[in-house]
Amino acid sequence: SQKILLAVVTSSDSITQVLSPQFAQARTYVEVRTLLKHMATYMLLPASLFAGGILLPKEVYTLVFSAQYDTSTAVTKALSLAYIITPFISGILLVFLYTIKKPRYLLMTNALLCTIILSMNYHFIPSLRLFAAPIAYGVAHVAVGVFLLGALKYEMRLLPKE
């Protein structure tokens, strides 16, 4: 079932590859805002697939993956919840990489993700076992999302209006 999650993450990466040339051409606040709206619309598809993975009844997982993997259903649903905002984070990173050309935000994002995930897993795997990773991923993605929204707000103010 984790292969399905990987396929959904890959689909959001494919969407960013399609949108990246448009972000590279954007120069103004209005152009970037319009592209972000388009990106958010496109990213609703992978986010909806993650939401669907959460809402699917356990019986569907059993039907598709067999009863042998029943114990992984709860972890898969937890990972799906943790990954819901990932497509939107990928889209926001396009602004930093291609429009304003400041890849340091990607470096800071990866450092924040790595630090939170590693430290939370280190502390919580002994007590939470399999559920430590989804919780760590969820907290890390929310933290990165908040950081990127703040940075995006700051950087958007520096762009020419038209």
Side-chain angles (χ1 to χ4, degrees):
S1 57
Q2 280 79 10
K3 288 181 183 181
I4 293 173
L5 293 176
L6 182 60
V8 175
V9 169
T10 304
S11 74
S12 67
D13 289 342
S14 297
I15 294 169
T16 61
Q17 288 176 357
V18 169
L19 293 175
S20 59
Q22 295 171 27
F23 277 94
Q25 292 175 349
R27 297 284 175 254
T28 67
Y29 175 90
V30 172
E31 291 172 335
V32 173
R33 188 184 68 206
T34 301
L35 284 172
L36 283 170
K37 287 180 182 178
H38 290 288
M39 177 275 305
T41 303
Y42 296 135
M43 292 305 184
L44 283 174
L45 177 63
S48 298
L49 292 173
F50 285 128
I54 297 165
L55 299 174
L56 276 176
K58 184 177 180 178
E59 294 76 25
V60 174
Y61 282 94
T62 303
L63 178 67
V64 173
F65 300 109
S66 80
Q68 179 182 1
Y69 296 102
D70 273 353
T71 56
S72 71
T73 301
V75 174
T76 301
K77 288 182 177 208
L79 280 171
S80 293
L81 180 62
Y83 278 118
I84 281 181
I85 65 171
T86 303
F88 301 104
I89 290 171
S90 298
I92 291 170
L93 284 171
L94 292 175
V95 175
F96 297 113
L97 290 173
Y98 295 106
T99 304
I100 62 173
K101 297 172 179 49
K102 292 184 178 176
R104 70 174 178 252
Y105 286 106
L106 181 60
L107 178 64
M108 290 186 281
T109 297
N110 286 336
L112 187 58
L113 275 173
C114 186
T115 301
I116 293 171
I117 291 168
L118 287 175
S119 62
M120 286 189 72
N121 279 335
Y122 178 79
H123 291 291
F124 294 116
I125 283 178
S127 60
L128 298 175
R129 306 259 182 233
L130 286 175
F131 286 98
I135 293 168
Y137 274 77
V139 169
H141 283 98
V142 168
V144 162
V146 169
F147 166 72
L148 286 176
L149 285 175
L152 180 66
K153 183 178 179 181
Y154 172 78
E155 292 293 343
M156 290 285 287
R157 291 183 315 163
L158 302 177
L159 290 173
K161 296 295 176 209
E162 292 187 33

